[in-house]
Amino acid sequence: MHGTTKAATQRRSRKAFWLKQLHTWHWVSSAISLIGLLLFAITGFTLNHAAEIEGSPTVVEKSAQLPAPLLAQIAPDDADDSKKPLPAPVADWVEDNLSVKRASGIAEWSADEIYLALPRPGGDGWVAIDRASGAITTETTSRGWIAWLNDLHKGRNAGTVWKWFIDIFVLACIVFSLTGLVLLQMHARNRPSTWPLVIAGLVIPAILALFFIH
């Protein structure tokens, strides 16, 4: 009898330990992913209704003349078309005088022109430099803050740091979901509707995908 009582006590102790751990992992992962989930839920809606809430793009064009000392660094030559960064002094001058970010990126060099694409979340842009005259033309397009949030949702042109954030966010959501599932299992005995609701969450989207998506 004493051995049975001790075994039951140990089982309750183990269950209490894992229940505490699961609750800890669940709330920590939910805290980490909370704002991200809110962002991705809102942008999921805006992406689903992109045609109805599409904004009007704003385009800004600028022009400038590259100083003669810098022009020598990009003068025409007999080299084949290539992709490489602008010389650092040229890139710095473009950033400082034309309010261009990331002018140090990879540009397309041809015999007559250097073209630097500047895609970004919620917009686009480019810089074109005439290699002979040094004439610079830039164009920046902004599609508004909703497009900016939508592009963050997709990770479009958002850079490496945002890519890392999405990866960490995904891991937090997986931990949040799996710990939630185990907690459901542990409490399901006292909540009869648990598994019917979980199954409904699987079956409903499966039916919609099978019969209403063509």
Side-chain angles (χ1 to χ4, degrees):
M1 186 69 178
H2 177 72
T4 303
T5 303
K6 183 177 180 180
T9 301
Q10 289 176 341
R11 284 196 298 272
R12 287 194 296 269
S13 178
R14 283 196 299 269
K15 182 177 180 179
F17 170 80
W18 284 112
L19 187 60
K20 182 179 179 181
Q21 289 299 312
L22 286 167
H23 275 293
T24 299
W25 296 339
H26 190 66
W27 79 257
V28 169
S29 60
S30 69
I32 292 173
S33 60
L34 175 62
I35 302 303
L37 279 171
L38 183 62
L39 169 66
F40 278 79
I42 293 172
T43 51
F45 177 85
T46 56
L47 281 167
N48 199 39
H49 296 272
E52 295 96 90
I53 58 177
E54 184 176 2
S56 300
T58 301
V59 180
V60 177
E61 296 182 357
K62 294 182 181 180
S63 60
Q65 178 65 43
L66 194 66
L70 297 178
L71 182 57
Q73 299 189 32
I74 61 164
D77 52 33
D78 296 328
D80 294 334
D81 292 356
S82 62
K83 293 184 178 182
K84 60 183 179 180
L86 291 171
V90 175
D92 291 342
W93 191 92
V94 170
E95 290 182 358
D96 293 340
N97 291 273
L98 291 167
S99 300
V100 171
K101 296 181 180 179
R102 297 180 290 109
S104 58
I106 301 297
E108 299 177 13
W109 292 61
S110 64
D112 303 318
E113 183 183 68
I114 302 173
Y115 178 84
L116 175 63
L118 297 171
R120 60 190 177 84
D124 208 344
W126 52 264
V127 174
I129 306 176
D130 188 295
R131 297 183 66 180
S133 67
I136 304 176
T137 304
T138 73
E139 183 177 286
T140 303
T141 302
S142 175
R143 300 193 303 276
W145 67 271
I146 292 179
W148 182 75
L149 288 173
N150 288 344
D151 283 347
L152 291 185
H153 181 109
K154 296 181 287 187
R156 178 180 179 270
N157 301 318
T160 303
V161 173
W162 187 256
K163 181 180 179 181
W164 291 343
F165 165 75
I166 291 178
D167 288 343
I168 294 171
F169 168 71
V170 167
L171 290 174
C173 287
I174 291 173
V175 173
F176 176 64
S177 299
L178 292 179
T179 53
L181 182 62
V182 177
L183 286 170
L184 284 175
Q185 189 275 331
M186 296 181 75
H187 294 294
R189 180 179 299 177
N190 300 320
R191 298 169 184 173
S193 62
T194 295
W195 296 123
L197 289 174
V198 172
I199 293 171
L202 171 65
V203 172
I204 291 173
I207 291 174
L208 294 176
L210 289 172
F211 295 100
F212 295 97
I213 297 178
H214 303 287

